[in-house]
Amino acid sequence: MTTAGTGHAEADQDEKSGIRTALAGLTTRGRSFLAAGVAAAVCSYVLGQSDLLRVGLLLAVLPLVCATVLYRTRYRVAGSRRLSPARVPAGSEARVHLRMDNVSRLPTGLLMLQDRVPYVLGPRPRFVLDRVEAGGRREVSYRVRSDLRGRYPLGPLQLRLTDPFGMCELTRSFSTYDNLTVIPRVEPLAPVRFSGEAKGYGDGRQRSLALAGEDDVIPRGYRYGDDLRRVHWRSTARYGELMVRREEQPQRARCTVLLDTRGIAFQGAGPDAAFEWAVAGAASVLVHMLERGFSVRLLTDTGSAVPGEGGDGFAGASQGSADAAGLMMDTLAVIDHSDGAGLSRAYDVLRGGNEGLLVAFLGDLDEEQAAVVARMRQRSGGAVAFVLDSENWMREPSDVPGPLDGSGERLRMLREAGWTTLGVPRGALLDDLWRQADRERRGVAAAGGGEGP
């Protein structure tokens, strides 16, 4: 009995709430009709005019009927949103498609759509749709664009319904929303070859496998569960027992991209800030190395990496390389400054073993942090550093006196430790610096009479 009583009470409360919502949606015209109807009914009672009562009832009932019908109609309209694409580089446009379906048996009145978007994506879109027939649909679209990377929520979608007489307006907000991910810009890079890449297979994988013949395999004894297609018949005939090929794969070349996110290492904000250049540079190198078949890993000064990344990073030249690139781009889309003051955590991660090629994007370095970065060179097969000095970055390109690379004591310290180091001026293109780093590495190797460290 208690449960039933509670159910009736909740039903009565919802009904009263629905009546209040419907009456609150009356427009100025609807309220005027209602007031005129009540006034006409009172006058008919005072004056004894029955015809005036009929007019008053008509005036009062019309807005109430419109409000009731409109209140029931708003729950019979379905809305959906689709992004194309859902992940877009900074500075590019994405299109948002909105779809409204009338699932009732009655046509709707005038519909006004409004989607809620962050201010960085542009003005709030608004659309006016004419009458939608029973079972019909309407589709509209608008474009969004942001120069700032990030993850932006779109929605909820708001729908305002109006009856044909303009007596009532009701607003419905849909609960669903979508996320638009604005990733850093990726710049194509030249296929240069730095030292440290040859420790695994990158571009040379297919060539090394083609040079290996059947006589180069090292057979072993057959074990239960081995594929019979791996049986090496020449060794089987020689040893008198089943022998199978080992089929060992060469170690994959590895590349670690170190991104300095310390808040004290960068100055300024906005799409032209030094930190944004570093994030876009890290994204470009990661995608470039993935396309070349490297196992890549993203590392920050906090020692953290991409969620879902394996111990050896993401493998390139595989079916999952596109998904791996998407995960890293999603991470870089929302990465922000850290509260850390040093790079010791990243060094602790790197000192576990040979990391192959190490590409670092660094901010301001004091003497202590420069020494930490210099020690990182001992744990890599090759090391390239792009240093963004805040003092030089904040200047105009025409005001920078002379070349920036090699002008600072910190850059000289890294070069002496074996790094290929470049200072990054404001407005520089990563591909130009990428080629310059290769030329400097070749110059050092030629001066040293060998390949270099």
Side-chain angles (χ1 to χ4, degrees):
M1 296 296 294
T2 304
T3 304
T6 303
H8 286 299
E10 292 179 352
D12 295 340
Q13 184 176 1
D14 293 340
E15 185 177 355
K16 293 179 180 179
S17 176
I19 294 175
R20 288 195 297 268
T21 301
L23 293 179
L26 291 176
T27 62
T28 302
R29 179 183 299 177
R31 296 176 186 273
S32 300
F33 268 65
L34 182 61
V38 173
V42 172
C43 292
S44 67
Y45 176 77
V46 173
L47 301 177
Q49 297 291 331
S50 58
D51 294 336
L52 187 59
L53 178 61
R54 297 188 185 95
V55 175
L57 291 178
L58 177 61
L59 293 176
V61 169
L62 181 60
L64 296 179
V65 172
C66 291
T68 302
V69 173
L70 200 62
Y71 179 77
R72 295 181 177 274
T73 303
R74 72 171 184 165
Y75 292 108
R76 299 181 180 275
V77 179
S80 62
R81 182 190 301 103
R82 179 174 57 87
L83 302 181
S84 177
R87 184 189 292 120
V88 62
S92 301
E93 291 184 345
R95 184 168 290 274
V96 183
H97 301 269
L98 302 178
R99 172 178 165 179
M100 304 304 300
D101 294 274
N102 183 14
V103 296
S104 66
R105 298 180 179 178
L106 299 176
T108 66
L110 192 66
L111 301 180
M112 288 175 284
L113 299 180
Q114 177 177 277
D115 206 6
R116 182 174 299 176
V117 300
Y119 72 94
V120 296
L121 297 182
R124 182 170 296 183
R126 295 180 175 89
F127 303 94
V128 177
L129 302 181
D130 293 332
R131 174 178 175 272
V132 181
E133 64 278 5
R137 69 178 59 171
R138 296 290 186 273
E139 294 185 1
V140 294
S141 64
Y142 63 93
R143 294 178 295 180
V144 292
R145 180 181 181 274
S146 175
D147 292 328
L148 292 174
R149 58 182 177 82
R151 184 175 290 116
Y152 302 101
L154 299 179
L157 178 65
Q158 292 182 341
L159 175 65
R160 180 176 297 179
L161 298 92
T162 305
D163 66 283
F165 301 100
M167 299 290 180
C168 184
E169 289 184 357
L170 293 179
T171 302
R172 177 187 177 186
S173 294
F174 296 88
S175 58
T176 58
Y177 66 93
D178 296 280
N179 287 319
L180 175 67
T181 303
V182 181
I183 62 176
R185 296 186 184 95
V186 175
E187 182 178 348
L189 301 179
V192 300
R193 188 176 185 86
F194 294 104
S195 59
E197 296 185 12
K199 295 183 179 297
Y201 65 82
D203 295 334
R205 178 190 179 196
Q206 289 79 5
R207 182 177 64 254
S208 62
L209 290 182
L211 292 176
E214 188 178 1
D215 294 335
D216 296 324
V217 299
I218 302 177
R220 61 168 175 82
Y222 175 82
R223 298 173 185 171
Y224 179 78
D226 286 339
D227 191 349
L228 293 178
R229 290 174 295 183
R230 294 173 52 194
V231 174
H232 193 251
W233 297 108
R234 183 176 301 179
S235 299
T236 299
R238 179 179 179 182
Y239 293 102
E241 61 176 332
L242 282 177
M243 304 293 291
V244 296
R245 296 186 297 269
R246 291 181 182 271
E247 292 187 354
E248 294 183 354
Q249 295 293 338
Q251 183 181 3
R252 183 183 296 272
R254 300 173 63 184
C255 176
T256 298
V257 177
L258 173 62
L259 177 61
D260 186 3
T261 63
R262 297 172 299 143
I264 61 174
F266 297 93
Q267 296 181 11
D272 297 329
F275 181 67
E276 296 301 323
W277 192 98
V279 173
S284 301
V285 173
L286 287 169
V287 172
H288 176 70
M289 289 302 180
L290 265 179
E291 293 175 348
R292 294 187 58 187
F294 280 69
S295 291
V296 298
R297 178 173 61 167
L298 174 63
L299 183 65
T300 65
D301 56 287
T302 61
S304 61
V306 180
E309 184 180 88
D312 294 334
F314 292 108
S318 63
Q319 295 181 352
S321 59
D323 296 336
L327 286 174
M328 289 187 292
M329 293 300 104
D330 289 344
T331 301
L332 290 175
V334 297
I335 200 168
D336 202 356
H337 291 293
S338 67
D339 297 330
L343 299 165
S344 57
R345 292 185 179 179
Y347 173 72
D348 292 338
V349 176
L350 290 174
R351 70 180 182 179
N354 194 316
E355 298 296 327
L357 178 63
L358 175 60
V359 182
F361 292 86
L362 306 171
D364 292 336
L365 297 174
D366 55 21
E367 185 175 356
E368 179 182 357
Q369 300 309 316
V372 174
V373 176
R375 291 196 299 270
M376 293 180 183
R377 176 63 181 87
Q378 304 172 1
R379 300 295 177 179
S380 62
V384 182
F386 300 96
V387 182
L388 293 88
D389 182 78
S390 297
E391 181 179 355
N392 289 324
W393 183 271
M394 298 300 292
R395 300 175 183 173
E396 293 295 333
S398 58
D399 298 336
V400 179
L404 292 179
D405 53 313
S407 62
E409 181 67 21
R410 307 295 179 256
L411 302 184
R412 183 187 63 81
M413 184 183 302
L414 296 184
R415 283 197 177 94
E416 291 179 351
W419 283 82
T420 301
T421 308
L422 293 177
V424 181
R426 183 178 178 182
L429 297 178
L430 177 60
D431 184 54
D432 296 339
L433 298 177
W434 189 254
R435 296 173 185 268
Q436 182 180 350
D438 177 58
R439 292 193 297 268
E440 290 197 5
R441 192 270 309 173
R442 293 179 182 272
V444 172
E451 174 65 16

